[in-house]
Amino acid sequence: MSVGVRRAAPVDLRRSLLVGLVGWVWARVCVALGFWVAHLLTPDPQLSARPDFPLPQALLSWDSHFYDLIARGGYDAVAADGARFFPLYPLLGRWLSPLFGGRDDIALVVVGNLAALAGAVVLAQLAREVLADRCGRDEADAVGLRSAWMVAIVPAAIVFVWPYTEGLALLATAGTLLALHRRSWWAAAGFALLAGALRPTGLLLCVPILIELVTARPRPKVIPALGALAAAPLGLLASVAWIARTTGDWLSPWEQQRPIRGDFRNPFVRAAESAWGLLHGTDTELVPFVVLWCVLVVVAVRRRQPWSWVAFSVVTLLVALAAQTIDSIGRYGLLAVPLVVALAQWSDRRWKEVLVACAGSAGLVIWTAQALQGRIVP
């Protein structure tokens, strides 16, 4: 990344916020439509009333259910497999619940959704500053604005509407990369600390941090550099320690995750199996994401994204694919935010923008309905 820094002008932030808000609102319209479709497609009214069926739980279905229980009662309120969910997000819901009449669930929804909007704005500024020296300011500005709304309508972005950690993780990831570009090592440490405390995959930010530290000229001071590099592991360690207070086992998050992800797999073989499964009726809902993210890695290289970005995207996809169960490949790739920027870079013609908007909107509706029907895991 260039050492030269183009700071955010107020007009840039206002435009990013406006465009990001349009995408943010439209995504929630699509999700609401997906709820309506899910109700239409539920043939048995009794099925929609079952507590183990996602539809009646609405936004508190799937992982959201665990976050809500942890927010209300800690890890004693969930089964053993709840230990795979880190505590920071539900703690925020608990601490902010007095602002919402004591409702932890509402606090979680508001925090996750507002963080997703803030993350889209930061993502726009990230693309604007980093790409300015590579493709010109006008093109960088256009890519940044496209990134702000495209990140909201990728079908996997339903997790920015559900009370998941992804909204905060988007903000933390984009913030880390922007701070690295600006050579603000302590700011990068703060965002990386947040990312590591939210999700185990926050550790992957060590990859771009290390690359930027090695390639930075002039060399950064030792203490800020070490702080940036150690931040994500420290955040993860803090979350694991919190969980261990209840479970008594520092490895419980990984032990509970192992039966779900399955055994370690060669990610290249697993990707090929996913594509092959499309012909045999398996992994059909996952193949589009596997193909999309892999193609966007190629786009990122061809459009001259920083190598620290490319490395971060590749490592993220390898981790996502290195398991038997790859249901989360959509949101893994979504949080490799350079891939979203690559999508915006590819969409440099009007017809491409329209294609992304239409496909993304339709995908959001379908993905929401499928998730509420229990057919896919968001």
Side-chain angles (χ1 to χ4, degrees), residues 62-107:
W62 298 104
D63 291 2
S64 306
H65 178 64
F66 288 92
Y67 288 123
D68 181 46
L69 291 177
I70 295 170
R72 287 190 279 134
Y75 288 92
D76 290 327
V78 294
D81 60 343
R84 71 185 192 274
F85 298 99
F86 277 13
L88 179 57
Y89 181 47
L91 284 174
L92 287 174
R94 181 189 304 174
W95 294 334
L96 295 175
S97 62
L99 300 176
F100 303 95
R103 293 287 300 272
D104 305 90
D105 52 350
I106 296 178

Side-chain angles (χ1 to χ4, degrees), residues 121-170:
V121 174
V122 175
L123 177 61
Q125 188 60 29
L126 171 67
R128 182 180 288 119
E129 291 189 15
V130 173
L131 300 180
D133 292 336
R134 295 168 179 264
C135 60
R137 288 194 173 187
D138 291 342
E139 177 61 23
D141 183 66
V143 170
L145 293 177
R146 290 196 295 267
S147 299
W149 64 264
M150 286 183 179
V151 73
I153 67 164
V154 175
I158 64 170
V159 294
F160 294 148
V161 183
W162 262 251
Y164 274 41
T165 58
E166 268 70 12
L168 284 167
L170 171 65

Side-chain angles (χ1 to χ4, degrees), residues 187-244:
F191 281 115
L193 183 72
L194 174 61
L198 285 169
R199 303 164 53 85
T201 51
L203 279 178
L204 300 180
L205 282 170
C206 290
V207 173
I209 291 173
L210 180 60
I211 292 174
E212 291 300 321
L213 287 173
V214 170
T215 58
R217 298 293 184 274
R219 296 288 190 185
K221 295 181 179 179
V222 173
I223 293 179
L226 291 178
L229 193 57
L234 288 176
L236 180 142
L237 185 62
S239 288
V240 171
W242 187 283
I243 296 171

